[in-house]
């Protein structure tokens, strides 16, 4: 199936990420329909020409492509399968693209339900954070059928620069999990290195001059260690969302018979950080587990 | 104290790293004396003009600067404090530079003994591996007195590009420990991400295309993940040496009242890898703990 000349794109979920992404869809000249749990976040998009719809289903009923960027797997489930949900309401042949970081199992269930209803589903979670969303430089990891990926590529290219088909339904979510697992270990290493440096009465900034290049180098060390040293725990990426991701990854790993002790340790440490009151801080707040 | 016009430099320990480093000292025009447990490794350096000495003490007796690059803290102890050791034999006012990755406590003990004997000691472990040693691009992390650091800087610049004084005696070793702690966590993250990707039946090379850029990026992911996927476990950095470093770091952390669960997990996993027969493989062989 090919899209009409000026496809209508529905965007559901206008948080920090979704809001910036929906804006790019609008700027690219698509017709844009939007829905969000709290309507206020849509106001400026509506001023710029987006059309508000009162439920996810009403967005879907008018859209050739439905993009979702919500919070938790339970929200994804609700948006697609709940009352006024997307699957029941979508137009025949529509494309459904879930960009939430969510469960690979749910992604496969969505894809199966979509296929049964004559719809096309992709799971397409992203990395790159609020900056990547704002600058349309996201990495987008896609699971689904190659022909559906090809059909959606022009739309996804509006949002990101590194758009890769990883395999069948669920593979986008699995790839995002691999990404989060790598970050979890790296974050432990960086925070423990700083905790050690502090305990040894070293000057941490001078330590970074020695360790930020070479084989200890990482995005985390370069970008988050200086924030920790500056006492800046503002969220780029929320602790509560990282815990969600790690929980999904641990469950998925267990379902595959895989033990990942580093990931489980990271998840435990982040639960401690959350319990200390830092759920809405940035992931660099892992530091609080060591202070 | 200033060095003579053409100082004699003694180099003790001609393994993969030390051999390349000693060669640079020779190329820079210094008089070079060498000692190594197995003499054969000195042959080509002697052909190029280095002078062989039969013990560490005999090297020290002729040298204005003594550099050591040996294996384990026990070797450092033996070279400096053993029979025919450096401290007892060194010329008055000589500089002693231990570049082995070793214990911060031993580094402070060396510095105290050196000072008592009218000698100058620096701990100056490196990162950058065999490639850094060969290309003289090592990162050198130095602990000791500022005036001793200044005196040795011209010599250290022959061996590395990123030479930083980190603080008093022991601070070079502490900084190297921070470096190894960061690597340990990152390595766990990278290996667990690959193990997850494999279990999820993703194509790991394609996964790397999505996760090697962005916030999961690290030297380890870029340089060692492809080696793991290629089944290449050849050593850049030995498992057995990494275990040594992590053991030193754990002991030092405990002595400072610090718990580093990520580091302890990594050390346990690497012990398992060693027990599987991979002590002489590269650090990327952590993969063997998950296979």
């Amino acid at each position: 199936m090919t899209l009409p000349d000026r496809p209508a794109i529905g965007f559901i979920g206008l948080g920090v990420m979704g809001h910036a992404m929906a804006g790019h869809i609008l700027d690219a000249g698509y017709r844009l329909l939007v829905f969000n749990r709290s309507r206020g976040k849509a106001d400026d998009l509506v001023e710029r020409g987006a059309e508000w719809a009162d439920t996810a289903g009403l967005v879907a009923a008018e859209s050739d492509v439905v993009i979702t960027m919500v919070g938790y797997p339970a929200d994804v489930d609700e948006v697609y399968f709940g009352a006024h949900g997307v699957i029941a309401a979508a137009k025949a042949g529509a494309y459904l693209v879930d960009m939430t970081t969510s469960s690979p199992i749910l992604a496969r269930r969505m894809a199966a339900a979509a296929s049964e209803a004559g719809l096309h589903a992709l799971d397409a979670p992203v990395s790159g954070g609020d900056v990547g969303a704002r600058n349309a430089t996201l990495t987008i990891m896609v699971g689904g059928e190659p022909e559906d990926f090809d059909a959606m590529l022009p739309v996804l290219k509006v949002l990101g620069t590194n758009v890769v088909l990883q395999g069948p339904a669920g593979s986008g979510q699995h790839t995002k999990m691999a990404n989060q697992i790598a970050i979890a270990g790296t974050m432990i290493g960086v925070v423990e290195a700083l905790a050690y440096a502090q305990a040894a009465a070293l000057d941490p900034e001078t330590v970074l001059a020695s360790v930020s290049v070479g084989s200890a180098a990482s995005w985390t060390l370069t970008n988050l260690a200086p924030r920790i040293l500056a006492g800046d725990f503002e969220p780029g990426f929320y602790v509560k969302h990282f815990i969600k991701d790690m929980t999904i990854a641990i469950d998925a790993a267990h379902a595959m018979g895989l033990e990942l002790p580093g990931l489980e340790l990271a998840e435990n440490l982040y639960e401690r950080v959350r319990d200390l009151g830092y759920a809405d801080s940035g992931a660099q707040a892992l530091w609080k587990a060591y202070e």
Side-chain angles (χ1 to χ4, degrees), chain A residues 260-285:
Chain A
L260 299 176
L263 176 63
E264 299 201 17
L265 172 63
E267 203 275 330
N268 283 333
L269 291 167
Y270 271 101
E271 282 185 20
R272 195 186 304 171
V273 169
R274 178 197 62 202
D275 295 347
L276 288 168
Y278 297 99
D280 291 313
S281 295
Q284 71 273 24

Side-chain angles (χ1 to χ4, degrees), chain A residues 81-104:
Chain A
F81 295 104
H84 317 292
V86 167
I87 301 254
K91 289 162 67 171
Y95 290 85
L96 315 179
V97 184
D98 182 31
M99 304 188 77
T100 317
T101 295
S102 173
S103 145

Side-chain angles (χ1 to χ4, degrees), chain A residues 106-190:
Chain A
L106 178 55
R108 282 201 297 273
R109 185 153 66 83
M110 262 182 58
S115 173
E116 206 162 302
L119 308 166
H120 308 266
L122 296 174
D123 51 297
V126 306
S127 69
D130 53 340
V131 175
R134 221 160 37 231
N135 300 340
T137 55
L138 293 168
T139 286
I140 306 178
M141 302 158 246
V142 188
E145 296 304 312
E147 56 273 24
D148 296 342
F149 175 79
D150 291 344
M152 283 301 100
L153 197 52
V155 176
L156 295 175
K157 289 264 189 193
V158 169
L159 304 172
T161 44
N162 184 21
V163 186
V164 178
L165 179 64
Q166 289 289 348
S171 300
Q173 297 297 352
H174 274 313
T175 302
K176 178 67 187 282
M177 291 302 121
N179 189 76
Q180 302 307 75
I181 292 166
I183 292 175
T186 305
M187 191 73 77
I188 289 178
V190 166

